[in-house]
Structures are given as structure tokens and as C-alpha cells.
Amino acid sequence: MKKSTVLRQEDFDNLLAWLAPEREEAGRKYEEIRQGLIRLFRFRGCNDPLSLADETINRLATKVSSLNKEGEYKTITYFYGFASKIYLEYLNQRKGKETQLEMVSPLLNKHEVNLVENDNENHQCLDDCLAKLETRDKELILTYYSQEKKAKLDLRKKLAQSLNLNTGALHVRVYRLRLTLKKCIEDCLNKK
Amino acid sequence: MEITENKIRQYLLGSLSQEEIELFDLQIILNAALEERLLLAEEKLMEDYLEGTLSTAEKELFQKNFLASQERYAQLNQLSLLKNYAQKNLGLRGSANLTGENAALDLKPAERPTFFQKLKNLISTNLPLTATVTVLTIIGLILGLFIYQKGRENMGAGDEVASLNQKDLSDLSNYKNLSSLSLISGSFRSTAAGSNNVLKKDAASEYFLLRLALPTINNQNENSFNVRISAEEKLLARLDHLRSYNNQNGQELRLLLPSSHFQRGTYKIEVVPEGKNDVPFIFSFKVE
């Protein structure tokens, strides 16, 4: 990837003015687009989606004076165009690193996935973090993940019914609990 | 393009056409509400991977395209950890019996066939195989028992003593059925019930408890000790980093010893506070 683009104040002001005549509205649009770009890079499986989103904005900002907002192209299309280019650069850079790794270790199978063994530290942190949840939440999350395949689907359906939720809402509830656990485990591992 | 769960899955695996990918990308940028659906789809994909239900093609795409970021890799690891933990700790089979929203989850194992029903089914399906397996199992058990007994005999007293004394001996009620000796350094102790430094071999339990009263040195209590047990100048067992326990008179050491390794005779126990070169406290007991 090219060297990061530094955003000057002048370019930033031009960008906001380009987004909307009112600065407050421009700021709101800026933030919406930024969050959208972060989502894009994150779901494309990129490491550090924040930096890639900022780089997209910075590059566009330096070119904003030459962009035509009238006509057939919407604002978002320009952002997407720059984001796509940055994504390709990111892929090339990643490919280059993988090639270097392969040269060092020709036996490295990049398709091989080696999950970390459930070592004591991870296990201990999970234990500690589960203990911090409310009892009902802990039971919910453990029950939710206690089965596999068809039994899992049946259990989750019953679980949702018992909580007067649809399965989608149950997924969301459990997912949010997982996020809490995830943060707790990361903090715990960092301390160790 | 309609954003269905299947399309989301294909997008995450990188198997959509370029045109579809672009349409998807724009939707992701513009529509914050899509994020939750994508996050849930990611989780479902990871679960399917862990459960081995992805097709070969999907698995390859998963490893090549989906697991491209460190964050996803970390998520997969955490999910794997959580699933293993849940399955080990709950280990439910079949349906759950659940109550209303505000009630605590009340989960019971599903009704299972009884042991005898299972046995009956097993035997009736394949009689020769069942018979062979049964005979082999019995032989294996007998052999295993024989090897275990031999192993115990061959195991040196030192190893067994060390192994026994890794336990926490705080709760004496766990050992109330064992033979027990209480010793004071440098002398024999007599109680109202008689001498307490003699172990009657014939009446001894499989293991016996030795309680060694520790004197306070310079008004300080040490917490960790090294112990040597010997008979006729021959070292039988050596225990390091033994912790002391409080009793009503101060502190004591507690040793759990296997009776089988202590034949008739006199035994000496030397105790030194860890990390010090002091003159050891000497205890002794007899086996008769």
C-alpha cells in the first residue's frame, strides 16, 4: 500500500464543504460515511479497518476540488471508488507478505487453520468472565452454545420460545453477551 | 438486489459475482442496520465451520477469504473456547424444559432410555460383537488391576509419600478414620490414652496421619518446611516445601503416609524450615 496520506486542515475543510453547505450537517454526513467505510473494510476481512477508512477519506479529501458532485455520480460513489482502490492495495500488500512467508517456509500451508489450544489461561479467563455475568445471562449463553447441528437448532428454538423472543432476537441477545465476554477476556489476557 | 441470509453468507465467503459484491458493498456503507445481520451471519458461519458442516468448497473459501483478518481468527478461537466450555459444563442432550421469560432457565436432561433398555438394544443388534467386546473388556480390566497393583508395589516409598503430601490436609475431618500419631520434637508424647508415637502395624489403616508439633522460633512462625524420613540412617522419603497448619497450640506439620511402606522398626523425621540451615527438629515414631 502507498504511504499514508496526511490530511491537511484545508483539505478537511474542503471535504466538509463538499459534503454539505452547513458545517454541522457536513460533520454528521462525514461521520456516517466514515462509519460506513469502517464497516466495509471490516466485513471485507481487513485488519485495521479504521486506518483504511481514514486513508480513503484522506485521499478523497486531497482530490475533492477536482470531483464533480453534480451529474450522475453520487457522493458515496466517489468514496466507494477510493475505498476499492485502497482495498486492492491492501490485498496486494497482504499477498506480498504471504509470499515472503512462503519463501521463508515453503512448507507453510496457508490454508491450514490451527486454532489455539484451549490453554489454561484462556480457559481461566473465560471462567472468570462468565462468573462476572448475571446468573441468568451465564446460563443463557452456556445453554445457547451447548449443542451442535440439529440439536442446536431445536434447543435455540425452544430457548427463544421460553423467553418470548423470536430466534433472531435471541441471537442478538446472546451476541451482545458474547461481546461483553469478549472484552472481558481480552482485558483478562492482557493482564496475564 | 435483495439481501438474503444466503447472499450475506456468500458475500462473507467471497463467492458473489463482482457486480453483486459492489452492490453489497454500497449497502454496507449506506445502511448501518445491515451490520447486525452481517455480524450474526459471521457467527453462524464460524459455528458451521467449527461443527464441520461446511461443504468442502465452503470450507476452502472460509479459510482463504473469511479468515483473512486477525480479528476474525481471534473470534473463531473465542467461539471455539466457549462452545467447548458450554458442552463440557452443561453437556445436555436432547430438549430442554424451559419456563417463562422472567423465570430462571430450568434445564433438565431429556428423558433417556434406561441403562437396561440401552443394554438390551446393544445386545440384540450384534450378539457376537457384543460378546467379544465384553470378554476383551473383562480381560483388560483384570490386566489393568494387576498392573496397577504391581505399579504400587514397585513405586518407591518416596514417590508415593511425595504424591500423597501434595494434598491440602487442612480439613482433618477428611482423615478422622485414619490411624494417627501426634509427635513432639525430641521426646515421646504420652496422652491419657497411652503413647501416641507407636503405630500398630496390624491395626493400622491403609494410610496414617502424622502430626508434628512445631515449636515457635524467636516468636516467629515459619510457613514452609523440608522434611526427611529415614530408618536406620537410610533415607526413605524426602518432602520439600511442605506447608504448616495451625492448631490450638500453634503450628504443626501433617504428613500422610502409606502404611505398607513402613515395616516394623523405628523411624526418624528431620524437619528444617525452608531456606535455612538450622539444626533440624527431630521426631521419631515406631511401628510395632
Side-chain angles (χ1 to χ4, degrees):
Chain A
M1 227 169 103
K2 287 185 190 172
K3 214 170 150 188
S4 304
T5 309
V6 176
L7 184 64
R8 300 176 307 170
Q9 185 62 45
E10 187 189 337
D11 293 331
F12 183 67
D13 291 338
N14 289 340
L15 175 64
L16 289 184
W18 184 71
L19 285 173
E22 292 249 343
R23 201 162 171 96
E24 202 173 300
E25 195 197 337
R28 188 183 52 78
K29 278 191 178 175
Y30 168 88
E31 196 49 41
E32 275 174 12
I33 291 170
R34 184 172 176 269
Q35 290 303 321
L37 289 170
I38 291 171
R39 278 196 298 275
L40 173 68
F41 287 115
R42 188 214 168 297
F43 287 112
R44 284 291 207 115
C46 299
N47 288 321
D48 200 4
L50 266 74
S51 298
L52 294 174
D54 286 339
E55 179 63 17
T56 303
I57 293 171
N58 292 352
R59 283 200 203 174
L60 184 140
T62 60
K63 299 268 192 283
V64 82
S65 52
S66 62
L67 297 176
N68 180 10
K69 202 178 158 189
E70 313 298 327
E72 62 188 285
Y73 294 110
K74 291 183 182 176
T75 311
I76 197 62
T77 317
Y78 285 114
F79 279 100
Y80 183 62
F82 277 86
S84 298
K85 191 165 183 299
I86 284 168
Y87 178 66
L88 282 173
E89 288 172 14
Y90 168 83
L91 283 183
N92 285 337
Q93 189 184 46
R94 196 178 79 192
K95 206 172 173 183
K97 280 184 185 164
E98 284 172 2
T99 309
Q100 281 175 4
L101 277 173
E102 281 172 9
M103 283 168 65
V104 168
S105 172
L107 298 174
L108 181 70
N109 179 358
K110 65 182 175 188
H111 297 305
E112 207 174 282
V113 177
N114 295 311
L115 291 176
V116 169
E117 283 177 17
N118 291 338
D119 58 48
N120 284 340
E121 266 186 16
N122 274 294
H123 204 273
Q124 187 58 54
C125 283
L126 176 59
D127 231 351
D128 294 343
C129 291
L130 281 168
K132 288 178 185 169
L133 293 178
E134 302 263 347
T135 307
R136 265 197 311 163
D137 287 341
K138 178 181 170 179
E139 283 177 6
L140 172 62
I141 198 168
L142 289 181
T143 308
Y144 186 88
Y145 288 109
S146 64
Q147 299 291 337
E148 291 195 346
K149 300 177 187 171
K150 183 157 188 318
K152 172 184 78 179
L153 298 174
D154 292 340
L155 174 65
R156 288 178 184 179
K157 218 181 273 184
K158 286 187 178 159
L159 202 50
Q161 281 167 4
S162 77
L163 296 170
N164 289 330
L165 298 171
N166 59 39
T167 48
L170 173 66
H171 293 328
V172 170
R173 188 186 277 199
V174 170
Y175 184 80
R176 287 180 186 153
L177 284 174
R178 271 233 298 123
L179 285 182
T180 308
L181 266 184
K182 181 184 171 221
K183 173 98 183 41
C184 176
I185 292 172
E186 281 168 2
D187 290 344
C188 172
L189 288 172
N190 285 337
K191 280 180 194 162
K192 288 193 187 278
Chain B
M1 180 183 69
E2 194 193 346
I3 310 271
T4 61
E5 303 317 311
N6 193 38
K7 285 285 182 194
I8 293 176
R9 190 178 175 93
Q10 287 179 298
Y11 174 82
L12 292 172
L13 287 173
S15 63
L16 289 179
S17 68
Q18 191 53 41
E19 191 186 336
E20 284 178 312
I21 288 174
E22 285 174 10
L23 288 170
F24 230 101
D25 285 344
L26 285 168
Q27 281 300 311
I28 289 174
I29 296 173
L30 292 168
N31 186 358
L34 202 46
E35 182 170 6
E36 206 157 73
R37 290 176 68 189
L38 279 154
L39 290 170
L40 292 172
E42 278 188 333
E43 167 141 331
K44 187 169 186 325
L45 199 49
M46 285 192 274
E47 277 203 278
D48 288 346
Y49 175 77
L50 290 171
E51 291 169 20
T53 55
L54 293 183
S55 67
T56 311
E58 282 181 326
K59 188 176 167 186
E60 202 175 310
L61 288 171
F62 182 92
Q63 289 173 338
K64 186 182 158 199
N65 296 336
F66 183 83
L67 275 190
S69 72
Q70 287 156 359
E71 191 197 320
R72 279 188 177 155
Y73 203 83
Q75 258 185 283
L76 185 68
N77 274 317
Q78 280 195 2
L79 185 59
S80 169
L81 184 70
L82 186 55
K83 283 170 77 74
N84 286 339
Y85 187 102
Q87 283 159 22
K88 273 182 198 157
N89 281 274
L90 283 191
L92 291 174
R93 299 280 180 269
S95 60
N97 180 17
L98 302 164
T99 55
E101 181 173 356
N102 294 320
L105 293 174
D106 177 21
L107 300 159
K108 292 177 193 169
E111 278 183 23
R112 306 180 194 186
T114 64
F115 173 74
F116 293 105
Q117 280 170 340
K118 277 197 234 178
L119 192 59
K120 191 179 163 189
N121 288 341
L122 179 66
I123 292 170
S124 62
T125 49
N126 195 336
L127 196 52
L129 177 64
T130 308
T132 309
V133 167
T134 307
V135 166
L136 286 174
T137 304
I138 292 169
I139 292 171
L141 280 171
I142 294 169
L143 268 175
L145 198 58
F146 178 73
I147 290 166
Y148 171 69
Q149 291 286 24
K150 274 288 172 199
R152 273 202 63 186
E153 284 169 21
N154 290 337
M155 186 182 183
D159 293 333
E160 189 169 358
V161 166
S163 164
L164 281 171
N165 286 283
Q166 282 170 4
K167 293 182 192 205
D168 179 1
L169 302 175
S170 326
D171 188 356
L172 287 173
S173 63
N174 293 332
Y175 308 101
K176 62 184 178 192
N177 294 328
L178 298 185
S179 306
S180 172
L181 300 183
S182 297
L183 307 179
I184 291 181
S185 170
S187 64
F188 296 125
R189 173 176 163 166
S190 294
T191 65
S195 168
N196 201 22
N197 72 316
V198 178
L199 182 73
K200 297 288 185 192
K201 181 95 180 146
D202 296 334
S205 50
E206 190 182 354
Y207 301 99
F208 66 99
L209 185 67
L210 274 185
R211 299 174 67 177
L212 313 177
L214 294 171
T216 305
I217 307 162
N218 299 329
N219 291 324
Q220 284 181 349
N221 285 331
E222 302 290 340
N223 291 315
S224 188
F225 297 84
N226 297 336
V227 171
R228 307 286 178 269
I229 305 175
S230 58
E232 295 172 4
E233 305 305 320
K234 188 177 162 192
L235 182 67
L236 292 177
R238 178 181 162 161
L239 298 162
D240 293 330
H241 322 302
L242 275 189
R243 59 162 282 201
S244 58
Y245 296 88
N246 291 330
N247 62 19
Q248 59 202 23
N249 299 318
Q251 281 193 303
E252 65 181 26
L253 282 184
R254 293 174 186 167
L255 305 180
L256 195 58
L257 302 174
S259 303
S260 59
H261 286 299
F262 290 85
Q263 307 309 319
R264 290 180 172 77
T266 303
Y267 294 85
K268 182 167 95 173
I269 304 173
E270 293 169 276
V271 176
V272 176
E274 192 163 3
K276 298 199 174 170
N277 289 325
D278 295 348
V279 173
F281 307 125
I282 307 286
F283 303 81
S284 66
F285 68 98
K286 285 183 187 175
V287 179
E288 291 175 354

